[in-house]
Amino acid sequence: MAKRKYEMKTERSLKMNEEGLLQLKSIILAPYMQLATSLIGKARHAGGNMFRHQMDTLAILIDYGYIDPILLKASIVHDTIEDIPDFDQNLVKNADSDGNEVYDLVMEVTKREGEDKKDFLMRIINNGSQKAKVLKCADRISNMISLGYVTDSKFIERYCNETEFFILPMALEVDFNMYQELINLIITRRKFLEDYKKINNEE
């Protein structure tokens, strides 16, 4: 049977090996999860809250086989500094012995004061570390999945364009499997836009 044009591929062919599972077992994430609970009251455009988004980003990284402790810990708190007013940044630095490295990675993916979205993403593309790019790709996969619950067509179109222009180049550089998933997510979201515009007689 021929594959449908807009079919979303969801299966994952790679599984973490025994060595990876043992390494994952040794990583203590609880101090960072505790910090991330500050995001529970922060609502998202697609529903849910920012705490769940941190956990989704963590899960996506593990699903792709990433077991670097700095990367995983940073994923759990990657939105705390940007989204919590007057957040004490020392809480990340002092969370455990990895705190300073986790903080540095979080700051790479945190929008700076006066920095617009385009400049922020171009900074990561041009100057970001590999970990920062991997983290941003996992973050965007979570956001694009959540976009399936958004019905604001202009927001979806803007977000798809942004993903295509800024995030795909990062993913192509650091993780081809993430790149493929992001392309599939863009395709399905654009299919929703096509259907939405037909139903609502929009050009």
Side-chain angles (χ1 to χ4, degrees), residues 24-192:
L24 184 62
K25 185 178 180 180
S26 70
I27 300 173
I28 299 174
L29 302 174
Y32 295 91
M33 289 182 178
Q34 186 176 36
L35 293 179
T37 58
S38 299
L39 289 163
I40 287 175
K42 197 81 173 176
R44 304 192 76 208
H45 194 66
N49 60 53
M50 290 302 294
F51 171 74
R52 295 182 192 178
H53 168 59
Q54 313 303 289
M55 298 301 105
D56 285 344
T57 306
L58 169 68
I60 288 164
L61 288 169
I62 294 173
D63 181 45
Y64 274 98
Y66 290 99
I67 50 175
D68 179 90
I70 307 302
L71 180 59
L72 297 184
K73 291 173 182 181
S75 73
I76 296 171
V77 292
H78 73 272
D79 284 320
T80 52
I81 293 173
E82 187 173 324
D83 287 359
I84 300 175
D86 302 318
F87 179 79
D88 184 357
Q89 300 179 15
N90 288 317
L91 292 174
V92 175
K93 294 178 182 179
N94 298 325
D96 66 3
S97 60
D98 291 327
N100 284 316
E101 289 183 78
V102 172
Y103 172 79
D104 289 342
L105 181 51
V106 169
M107 291 307 295
E108 280 196 78
V109 296
T110 296
K111 196 151 69 74
R112 297 169 182 170
E113 187 175 351
E115 192 174 46
D116 64 22
K117 193 68 174 290
K118 177 182 176 181
D119 290 340
F120 162 59
L121 293 172
M122 286 303 300
R123 169 168 59 81
I124 299 176
I125 290 173
N126 293 326
N127 303 309
S129 65
Q130 175 152 338
K131 287 179 186 177
K133 292 174 183 178
V134 169
L135 177 51
K136 193 61 193 171
C137 290
D139 168 63
R140 184 52 64 109
I141 288 171
S142 171
N143 287 334
M144 288 294 290
I145 292 170
S146 297
L147 204 60
Y149 299 96
V150 176
T151 56
D152 181 342
S153 62
K154 290 182 179 179
F155 180 87
I156 295 170
E157 187 162 19
R158 184 171 68 252
Y159 213 75
C160 285
N161 290 339
E162 182 182 281
T163 302
E164 193 167 350
F165 189 81
F166 296 107
I167 308 300
L168 286 183
M170 289 187 212
L172 188 58
E173 179 183 342
V174 298
D175 192 311
F176 189 69
N177 289 317
M178 284 187 173
Y179 173 79
Q180 289 182 307
E181 181 169 3
L182 283 163
I183 287 176
N184 280 317
L185 286 165
I186 291 169
I187 288 171
T188 59
R189 278 33 179 183
R190 290 203 187 283
K191 174 60 169 60
F192 167 80

